[in-house]
Amino acid sequence: MLERIIIIVVVSLASLFAEAGECTIDGIVFNYSYKIEGSGESYHIDANVIVTDGKSKTGVVDIPAYITVDDGLRLMVTVIGASAFEGNSEITKVIIPGGVSHIYGSAFKGCTALEEVSIGTPSQGMPSDGLTYIDGHAFENCMSLKRIDFPNSLQKIGDYAFNGCIDLSTVIVSGSLVKIGDYAFQNCEAMKSIDLSEGVGEIGQYAFNNCYSMTSIKFPSEGFTTIGSSCFRHCTSLESITIPGCVGSIGDYCCRGCTGLKNAVIELGKKSFLGDYLFDGSTNLTQATISCYNTLHSDVFR
């Protein structure tokens, strides 16, 4: 009986090994954990590597795709942690490797000198689907940021993610998004256009509020369900808007104060909801075509 117990314990130790720690590489602090399952030539490493602090960095920040720990073990960098670079006013460019799947809240908030963000895609053999989430406030008040290209793996942009990026003029969306959060691009005063024709499920409230330079926005023809209240409020350079029939709900004040808006086309489905005060204060609107509505509230064109 004793012999059997010993054998079971030895097999268990050989099949699972776990470790965690912290290291600093070129001024960037990483928190890592991993476990190794299996033995001999047949084993699997499950790891999580988080960038936790880069507040002392200056100039260009090139985040490595892998870190090496514990006598040569290579672990893929997977996450930019919450507030990791928050308030750093010295960095000008950030290069994010393709293995990073998540940028947590306030990661680069208030990085006022940050002008460029380069987001990589997974290289061959990399166990990652690429960047999928940018959490709330991640790049809020990055006032010098001018351009950002989202990989086609991106699914969600959190609340206030780019709020106050007043120099951000170019946003490239090359894939389908599940959601653009509330206030995500609010006060992006230099943004001229955004193309969401590849797909978006939901746009939150105030998402593009006060984008004064916005002249055009392209929507997908299917799979698009919700436009939040005050979504394009005070987009004063927007001259026309066409909202496709796949949208099920348009919130109150959606185009309030769009003083440059001249033409609007809304193709609602049979069960779609159209909010109140939709074009309130859009004083230059000369033509609006709304089809298949159920209820048109009296204040839509106030």
Side-chain angles (χ1 to χ4, degrees):
M1 182 66 182
L2 179 59
E3 180 182 359
R4 184 181 179 192
I5 292 174
I6 293 173
I7 292 172
I8 290 174
V9 171
V10 170
V11 171
S12 177
L13 289 174
S15 63
L16 177 62
F17 175 79
E19 188 61 271
E22 183 178 279
C23 64
T24 301
I25 301 173
D26 192 25
I28 302 176
V29 181
F30 300 87
N31 186 285
Y32 65 88
S33 62
Y34 65 89
K35 63 181 180 180
I36 302 175
E37 296 178 304
S39 60
E41 295 182 358
S42 178
Y43 66 91
H44 170 72
I45 301 176
D46 184 13
N48 189 36
V49 178
I50 304 173
V51 176
T52 58
D53 191 355
K55 294 182 177 66
S56 65
K57 294 291 289 181
T58 61
V60 178
V61 179
D62 191 351
I63 298 171
Y66 292 88
I67 64 171
T68 302
V69 301
D70 300 337
D71 298 325
L73 185 63
R74 291 179 79 235
L75 302 178
M76 184 178 71
V77 177
T78 54
V79 172
I80 310 297
S83 301
F85 296 85
E86 183 177 2
N88 185 326
S89 60
E90 301 295 327
I91 59 174
T92 57
K93 179 179 179 179
V94 174
I95 302 170
I96 298 173
V100 171
S101 63
H102 206 135
I103 299 175
Y104 276 102
S106 301
F108 298 94
K109 182 179 179 180
C111 292
T112 52
L114 182 61
E115 296 182 3
E116 184 181 351
V117 177
S118 174
I119 302 173
T121 56
S123 58
Q124 188 174 7
M126 196 175 258
S128 173
D129 293 327
L131 183 65
T132 54
Y133 293 99
I134 298 177
D135 277 359
H137 306 273
F139 293 91
E140 185 174 19
N141 293 332
C142 290
M143 296 184 291
S144 300
L145 185 63
K146 294 176 172 57
R147 176 191 175 103
I148 188 163
D149 292 18
F150 297 130
N152 56 18
S153 57
L154 188 65
Q155 297 179 19
K156 183 179 178 180
I157 301 172
D159 298 347
Y160 295 93
F162 295 90
N163 175 49
C165 293
I166 57 175
D167 274 356
L168 185 61
S169 60
T170 305
V171 177
I172 305 298
V173 182
S174 57
S176 179
L177 294 169
V178 174
K179 182 178 180 179
I180 296 175
D182 298 344
Y183 305 91
F185 293 95
Q186 178 179 247
N187 298 322
C188 290
E189 299 175 4
M191 184 184 292
K192 297 179 180 180
S193 65
I194 188 165
D195 186 348
L196 299 171
S197 58
E198 292 292 322
V200 63
E202 179 181 348
I203 302 178
Q205 62 178 350
Y206 292 89
F208 296 95
N209 179 43
N210 294 340
C211 290
Y212 302 122
S213 300
M214 178 85 75
T215 58
S216 68
I217 180 165
K218 294 181 181 179
F219 298 111
S221 58
E222 58 184 15
F224 183 23
T225 61
T226 306
I227 297 177
S229 61
S230 298
C231 186
F232 303 106
R233 184 170 177 161
H234 298 150
C235 291
T236 53
S237 296
L238 190 65
E239 294 188 359
S240 66
I241 189 168
T242 299
I243 298 175
C246 58
V247 176
S249 176
I250 302 174
D252 298 343
Y253 301 104
C254 179
C255 295
R256 184 181 195 184
C258 292
T259 53
L261 191 64
K262 298 176 181 178
N263 182 54
V265 178
I266 300 176
E267 302 169 349
L268 294 179
K270 292 181 179 179
K271 296 182 179 180
S272 296
F273 169 79
L274 184 66
D276 294 335
Y277 306 103
L278 188 65
F279 298 104
D280 180 28
S282 297
T283 52
N284 282 307
L285 185 66
T286 57
Q287 180 172 324
T289 303
I290 302 175
S291 59
C292 297
Y293 61 84
N294 289 327
T295 303
L296 186 64
H297 299 281
S298 59
D299 291 313
V300 166
F301 298 104
R302 191 178 72 167

